[in-house]
Amino acid sequence: MQRRSLVAANWKMNLTVPEGGSVAQGILGAASKRADTDVVLCPSFTLLHHIREVVAKSNVKLGAQDVFWLAKGAFTGEVSVEMLRDHGCEYCIVGHSERRGRFGASELPNELLAYFSDSDVVVERKLRAVLDGGLTAILCIGETARERNEGRTDEVVASQLKIALSSVDESEIPCLAIAYEPIWAIGTGNVCEPDEAQRVCELIRSEVGAHMGSDAANTIRILYGGSVAASNCAGLFKQRDIDGALVGGASLKPDEFSRIILSA
Ligand code: PEP
């Protein structure tokens, strides 16, 4: 089955308004050549307003990096799905390993890691809120280096997926993409070998099939994320079960990200 490619940029906590505007401007040309690909920029909340204006007349879509699951109330510092929609977001990343407090290489001291602690259950609530609010979710799952070394990759990925998908209906699959992001590959330059990324993405597809049937499995878009660069993306994009990428560091460089968009 032919699935539409999706290439999403996760800018994390980077870029000021002028910097973000210039990066966004720099990828419009590449995106315009790829009518067959969804290109999504996920800047920090403070940039959404400006980036929305920069991409307004293009085929580039806007996404957020996180969201809170309730609609309003005394939740200082949080942002709701409706607020994201207000700013033109059509996508939202959910369950990024950095929000889950599961870092690969981090300079943060251990006591600070506890502040980033989305559990599987919180991720499920956020996913539910994003889908209920009519946005497309990019759900991140993936194992740490330790879990991989202990041979637990498949178990960890299947378990994260099972909890996140517990309330998702087959009809919602077009509004969901799953990003396989091995945590040891994020921001480390240690990209997962294409064969291995394919193996895990195939497993994810078959788990979706086991929970929701073969139509859902064939339709769902599965991305790879973790040190994707212009130099390594072709091998990943060739894989049968990889429909695109979630890109961190390389998405901050317009030329590099443009080359990734063009290879998708
Ligand atoms: C990410 O943060 O989702 C990511 C994949 O980062 P990087 O591309 O920098 O490894």
Side-chain angles (χ1 to χ4, degrees):
M1 159 163 210
Q2 190 63 33
R3 290 176 293 268
R4 203 174 151 75
S5 300
L6 168 58
V7 179
N10 176 12
W11 286 357
K12 312 194 189 196
M13 195 176 72
N14 291 296
L15 306 179
T16 60
V17 167
E19 288 166 350
S22 123
V23 174
Q25 195 72 49
I27 60 112
L28 295 182
S32 71
K33 297 195 180 105
R34 297 305 306 264
D36 57 348
T37 298
D38 291 328
V39 178
V40 181
L41 297 182
C42 302
S44 51
F45 294 137
T46 54
L47 293 178
L48 286 173
H49 180 77
H50 183 59
I51 303 302
R52 180 189 198 177
E53 287 175 355
V54 176
V55 303
K57 292 194 175 72
S58 76
N59 58 335
V60 176
K61 309 282 189 214
L62 199 57
Q65 298 173 14
D66 193 24
V67 71
F68 193 60
W69 66 88
L70 293 175
K72 61 168 78 166
F75 305 106
T76 303
E78 296 294 345
V79 168
S80 71
V81 174
E82 189 184 2
M83 291 166 179
L84 297 182
R85 251 200 340 257
D86 247 4
H87 276 272
C89 286
E90 294 179 50
Y91 287 77
C92 185
I93 297 172
V94 175
H96 192 280
S97 56
E98 288 154 16
R99 299 304 320 172
R100 293 178 189 255
R102 291 162 58 83
F103 291 82
S106 173
E107 286 156 19
L108 282 182
N110 281 342
E111 67 270 20
L112 284 185
L113 294 180
Y115 285 98
F116 300 91
S117 56
D118 282 8
S119 64
D120 285 335
V121 173
V122 164
V123 171
E124 189 275 327
R125 287 192 183 171
K126 290 185 173 184
L127 177 60
R128 190 64 263 146
V130 168
L131 295 175
D132 286 344
L135 304 191
T136 294
I138 301 175
L139 168 69
C140 300
I141 56 176
E143 82 287 359
T144 61
R146 185 175 181 169
E147 288 160 347
R148 172 161 284 266
N149 292 337
E150 290 170 354
R152 297 177 51 221
T153 298
D154 297 8
E155 170 207 327
V156 168
V157 163
S159 154
Q160 290 174 342
L161 195 58
K162 184 173 177 203
I163 298 169
L165 294 185
S166 57
S167 72
V168 177
D169 185 76
E170 196 189 328
S171 62
E172 295 174 309
I173 289 294
C175 295
L176 175 61
I178 297 171
Y180 169 54
E181 296 215 313
I183 293 160
W184 48 269
I186 295 182
T188 59
N190 264 339
V191 68
C192 185
E193 286 303 320
D195 288 357
E196 175 58 8
Q198 161 58 27
R199 188 191 71 76
V200 181
C201 290
E202 187 176 0
L203 167 81
I204 292 169
R205 199 175 295 290
S206 82
E207 288 292 320
V208 170
H211 293 295
M212 273 178 277
S214 58
D215 282 355
N218 288 330
T219 309
I220 193 145
R221 292 189 289 181
I222 302 178
L223 316 180
Y224 167 80
S227 295
V228 172
S231 57
N232 61 30
C233 62
L236 291 158
F237 291 151
K238 258 192 245 151
Q239 305 301 317
R240 200 176 55 244
D241 288 294
I242 298 181
D243 305 310
L246 180 56
V247 186
S251 72
L252 299 169
K253 303 174 199 147
D255 291 346
E256 175 99 7
F257 192 52
S258 293
R259 285 165 61 204
I260 295 172
I261 294 168
L262 293 173
S263 344

